Amino acid sequence: MARSNGSSGSSFSIIGDGIVITGNIESKVDLHIDGEVIGDVKCLSLVQGPSSKIKGAIVAQHASLSGSVEGSIDAGDLVIAASARIGGDVTYENVTIEQGGHVEGKFKHRSSKSPNLARSTVNMNEMAIPLELTEGDKAA
């Protein structure tokens, strides 16, 4: 069901309770999911109801999750409600997690860069000059 918000002309779509969609969803409008989606969801803004289930990746600029998600999440502004159960890695710009919200996965800020642990911080080609002590030098 698609509805229009009269004054601004923007619209949103609702996937109601009891509806199961198998396949990926890509939307240029806001999306409200109360049913079940087995596939990836990509939209501008996502609101997930508490009884909803999503089995797939979520990509949205704004996401408010209250149900079950099995998959990765990439969101600009992310709200994880107390009733949310998420199994997957989360990439975000801003995140709010209500007390009781459950996430099993890694969190990564969009601007974060993982340190390159394989790169040595010591250049072994630039060896230090050996220290030579002469007869008058003292060493501690």
Side-chain angles (χ1 to χ4, degrees), residues 60-62 73-79 90-96 107-112:
Q61 183 54 41
H62 306 281
I73 299 167
D74 187 344
D77 296 314
L78 176 62
V79 176
V90 177
T91 303
Y92 65 93
E93 285 181 28
N94 300 301
V95 65
T96 301
F107 280 84
K108 181 178 180 186
H109 193 269
R110 275 188 181 168
S111 68
S112 294

Side-chain angles (χ1 to χ4, degrees), residues 94-128:
N94 300 301
V95 65
T96 301
I97 304 173
E98 293 179 0
Q99 187 172 355
H102 184 84
V103 179
E104 291 209 23
K106 296 178 184 175
F107 280 84
K108 181 178 180 186
H109 193 269
R110 275 188 181 168
S111 68
S112 294
K113 292 185 179 180
S114 299
N116 185 353
L117 299 177
R119 183 176 167 261
S120 174
T121 58
V122 177
N123 186 345
M124 297 305 289
N125 295 325
E126 296 177 8
M127 298 286 292

Side-chain angles (χ1 to χ4, degrees), residues 9-82:
S10 66
S11 61
F12 62 95
S13 293
I14 299 172
I15 298 171
D17 190 23
I19 303 293
V20 177
I21 294 180
T22 302
N24 297 336
I25 297 173
E26 187 167 341
S27 173
K28 294 183 179 174
V29 298
D30 299 344
L31 189 59
H32 185 109
I33 299 176
D34 284 323
E36 182 175 351
V37 175
I38 302 168
D40 297 342
V41 177
K42 184 176 183 180
C43 61
L44 179 63
S45 182
L46 173 65
V47 175
Q48 181 194 32
S51 62
S52 172
K53 295 179 183 177
I54 299 173
K55 295 179 183 177
I58 294 173
V59 176
Q61 183 54 41
H62 306 281
S64 179
L65 306 177
S66 300
S68 169
V69 177
E70 292 178 29
S72 64
I73 299 167
D74 187 344
D77 296 314
L78 176 62
V79 176
I80 299 172

